[in-house]
Amino acid sequence: MSALALSVLLSLVSAVAYASGAILQERVAANTPDRPYAPLHHGMWWAAVSLNGVGAVLHVAALAYGPLSLVQPLGALTIVFALPMAALFVGRRAGRTAWRGAIMAAVGLAGLLALTGGTDPRSLDGAERLILAGATFGGVGLLFLTAQLVGRPAVRSVLLAAAAGAAFGIASVFTKTVAVDWTSGSPSAQVPNLLVIAVLAVVGLLLSQASYRGAGLAAPLATVTVVNPVVAAAVGLTLFGEEFRYGVTGTVLALCAGALTAGGLILLTMGRPGDPRDESESSSSRTGAGRSPHGAGPRPGTSSDRDATRSEVVEGVDVGAVTRPRTHLEVEMRSRAVAGGA
């Protein structure tokens, strides 16, 4: 097996591990909303950390055998693998929009794979590493502070996920640097780089965990998988001297493939696993199950009769039953604030 093929295989297995960890992280975020960053008491979170660790080790091994501009885009397959895995293990079906996005992302990544060419490995000098580390910590900090000022959970989630993706991407850049320098220099000289990698990895893990709070699985994960390879591949192409095959033509085709991948990931954020719009048929069948065979109304003992005797708050609307005959039921719609005050 060639070094490039081994790099691709390691990247694929790494993506599966990352997808598994992301599914567990989202479940932990849903179960522990009061601990957005590090729910240390939750065993499932430690399982997610372990899976992310396995993915990181495989990712490092892939970087040792392949170019950064190839390994990082393959990491975007994490969201593609997460769709069927979430449906299989968590019971979240992916709708047509999500699957279209997955196919687009896979085709785009295949294009990047075909166009990526290897170069002689090189490293960053001391000044380049210092500037890159400073710019990364500054950018991640700015995104984090901006997320704290945003009121909308979806926007806050995307900002935190973007910060996590940037941290992971630059950690990969430093990992590639360490892999190149490890055999040519003293291992002790790599201690500063290893510290930067460790800090960026921890920061990325905590920010990604926080990004799943109130946002589901697909949107934060897709943001991380877009920002991560874009940041790392940009550094690889500009600082490491990596390039695409066929000169300018190959570069243009690679940009088109990247745009196709990005479009697919955007569709994935729109078609979230478990989206109620994707389960309309299931909802219709469940509604029909509560009716009588002749359509004359609900069968006795079904949830429709029970709903008439209790109030329920759904999507910020309180639907309260009143003590009148069924033919004169009145529905009171009150705001979330009024319902909470009651």
Side-chain angles (χ1 to χ4, degrees):
M1 180 181 293
S2 66
L4 187 62
L6 181 59
S7 175
V8 171
L9 178 60
L10 291 172
S11 297
L12 294 178
V13 180
S14 174
V16 172
Y18 278 132
S20 303
I23 293 172
L24 293 182
Q25 281 186 279
E26 190 274 333
R27 298 291 292 175
V28 172
N31 295 331
T32 57
D34 57 327
R35 296 173 180 263
Y37 295 101
L40 301 178
H41 68 289
H42 207 297
M44 189 181 295
W45 186 74
W46 287 108
V49 172
S50 300
L51 286 169
N52 282 314
V54 171
V57 171
L58 294 173
H59 183 74
V60 170
L63 287 172
Y65 290 100
L68 186 68
S69 54
L70 168 64
V71 174
Q72 287 303 117
L74 285 175
L77 285 174
T78 299
I79 185 64
V80 179
F81 293 148
L83 288 178
M85 291 173 65
L88 179 62
F89 297 110
V90 188
R92 293 185 176 181
R93 297 187 308 163
R96 295 179 180 178
T97 301
W99 279 113
R100 282 198 297 266
I103 293 173
M104 288 175 59
V107 172
L109 288 170
L112 288 174
L113 175 62
L115 294 168
T116 301
T119 59
D120 294 332
R122 64 175 296 270
S123 179
L124 301 177
D125 58 38
E128 290 174 331
R129 298 179 191 183
L130 184 61
I131 294 173
L132 185 60
T136 301
F137 285 116
V140 169
L142 181 60
L143 287 171
F144 173 77
L145 293 176
T146 304
Q148 305 311 305
L149 301 176
V150 174
R152 296 182 58 186
V155 177
R156 181 176 65 248
S157 171
V158 169
L159 289 173
L160 291 174
F168 286 139
I170 300 302
S172 296
V173 172
F174 277 90
T175 300
K176 181 67 174 178
T177 298
V178 171
V180 172
D181 293 344
W182 192 265
T183 56
S184 59
S186 174
S188 60
Q190 303 300 323
V191 172
N193 295 324
L194 293 175
L195 290 176
V196 172
I197 293 170
V199 172
L200 288 174
V202 172
V203 169
L205 176 64
L206 298 180
L207 290 175
S208 65
Q209 178 63 56
S211 69
Y212 291 111
R213 185 179 56 163
L217 173 67
L221 184 57
T223 302
V224 171
T225 53
V226 167
V227 175
N228 185 340
V230 166
V231 169
V235 174
L237 292 170
T238 56
L239 298 181
F240 285 151
E242 297 177 357
E243 59 186 11
F244 295 105
R245 292 189 178 99
Y246 313 122
V248 177
T249 302
T251 301
V252 173
L253 292 175
L255 290 175
C256 293
L260 183 63
T261 303
L265 294 175
I266 291 173
L267 285 180
L268 285 169
T269 64
M270 298 170 60
R272 298 187 296 273
D275 194 321
R277 291 173 299 179
D278 295 331
E279 300 179 353
S280 57
E281 295 182 2
S282 299
S283 300
S284 300
S285 61
R286 288 194 299 268
T287 302
R291 296 185 177 274
S292 65
H294 302 288
R299 288 197 301 262
T302 61
S303 60
S304 298
D305 287 331
R306 292 192 297 269
D307 290 342
T309 61
R310 63 183 177 87
S311 62
E312 183 178 16
V313 179
V314 179
E315 296 294 332
V317 178
D318 186 9
V319 182
V322 298
T323 56
R324 295 188 184 184
R326 180 178 296 275
T327 56
H328 298 288
L329 284 178
E330 295 179 358
V331 178
E332 297 177 3
M333 301 186 67
R334 296 173 290 189
S335 66
R336 185 187 300 270
V338 176

